[in-house]
């Protein structure tokens, strides 16, 4: 058996959006600067994680106590950011981010009793057959595990221009990542995940908004059944064959989001 393909847990869901794009970034090493809105998302998640980690440690913080975390992520990012990639300025990003972090801390976080925040997971190997192995590792990025009288469930923060639609967090397309996080949490802690996942949406366009939506039975999409394959089976076929199919209908099929776009013969570059 050869060396395993090491896959970050947080990237797993995007494999099923456009595998060709995913291969370019995570296997071929093709990179591009982050967009302003992506960096805003990173800053929001860093600040909210600092707030939740403090609460988990028994400390009481105010939103203003974690606002420097957000500001520092925007002013001193660890990765390249193309601040000309869209209309969002750094000043507007700070304003929107501070509003959303404050609303999260005051309106969303008090609803939950978290037992883990962005947990580092035990590496999990998937045997694809033919000597090919996938090893999923890293952290439950931007996610928390919550516990109440009914059991444990995953909470995942999603930010973006369409993260909240009609007063509800957008849940479409997030099930593969949630299912992966549920399986990884169980494998790492030995505690079963029995409750639906909550998607916590933070809308970064227009009037900033926060909302929650739920995903049920996410892992079933991944593991499948005796009669029907799951996404893990399709992923195994990709890695075993080395064929990562394109998806020109993806909303990420855009030069702003895909490092492979300029050399991809499958892209849809029509207006």
């Amino acid at each position: 058996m050869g060396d395993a393909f090491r896959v970050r847990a947080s990237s797993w869901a995007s494999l099923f959006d456009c595998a060709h794009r995913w291969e370019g970034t995570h296997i071929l090493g093709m990179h591009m600067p982050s967009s302003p809105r992506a960096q805003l998302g990173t800053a929001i998640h860093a600040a909210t994680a600092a707030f939740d980690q403090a609460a988990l440690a028994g400390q009481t913080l105010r939103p203003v106590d974690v606002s420097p975390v957000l500001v520092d992520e925007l002013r001193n990012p660890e990765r390249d950011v193309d601040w000309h990639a869209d209309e969002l300025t750094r000043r507007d990003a700070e304003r929107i981010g501070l509003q959303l972090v404050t609303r999260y801390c005051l309106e969303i976080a008090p609803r939950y009793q978290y037992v883990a925040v962005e947990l580092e997971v035990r590496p999990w190997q998937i045997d694809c057959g033919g000597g090919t192995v996938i090893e999923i590792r890293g952290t439950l990025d931007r996610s928390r595990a919550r516990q109440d009288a009914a059991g444990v469930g995953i909470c995942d923060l999603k930010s973006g221009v369409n993260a909240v639609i009609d007063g509800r967090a957008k849940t479409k397309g997030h099930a593969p990542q949630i299912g992966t996080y549920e399986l990884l949490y169980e494998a790492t802690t030995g505690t079963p995940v029995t409750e639906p996942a909550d998607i916590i949406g933070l809308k970064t366009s227009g009037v900033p908004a926060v909302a929650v939506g739920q995903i049920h039975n996410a892992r079933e999409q991944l593991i499948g059944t005796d009669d029907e394959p799951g996404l893990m089976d399709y992923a195994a076929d990709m890695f075993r064959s080395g064929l990562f199919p394109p998806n020109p209908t993806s909303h990420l099929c855009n030069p702003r989001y895909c490092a492979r776009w300029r050399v991809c013969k499958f892209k849809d570059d029509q207006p």
Side-chain angles (χ1 to χ4, degrees), residues 34 39 42 71-81 83 90:
S34 179
Q39 189 60 29
T42 296
V71 173
D72 184 61
E73 283 285 349
L74 291 172
R75 296 184 181 179
N76 304 291
E78 294 183 355
R79 57 184 178 178
D80 291 336
V81 179
W83 286 102
R90 187 183 283 105

Side-chain angles (χ1 to χ4, degrees), residues 2 10 15 44 49 62-63 79 81 85 120 130 145 147 166-167 197 204 211 220 229 233 251 262 271:
S10 58
L15 172 66
I44 291 170
R62 301 166 299 167
R79 57 184 178 178
V81 179
E120 184 172 352
Q147 185 167 24
D166 296 329
T204 60
E220 293 181 3
D233 298 294
H251 74 281
R262 288 176 176 81

Side-chain angles (χ1 to χ4, degrees), residues 173-209:
H174 297 321
Q177 186 172 37
I178 290 298
T180 302
Y181 283 179
E182 290 176 348
L183 293 169
L184 287 169
Y185 181 83
E186 291 183 346
T188 299
T189 66
T191 301
V193 176
T194 59
E195 298 306 296
D198 279 3
I199 299 297
I200 300 170
L202 301 106
K203 181 184 176 185
T204 60
S205 64
V207 178

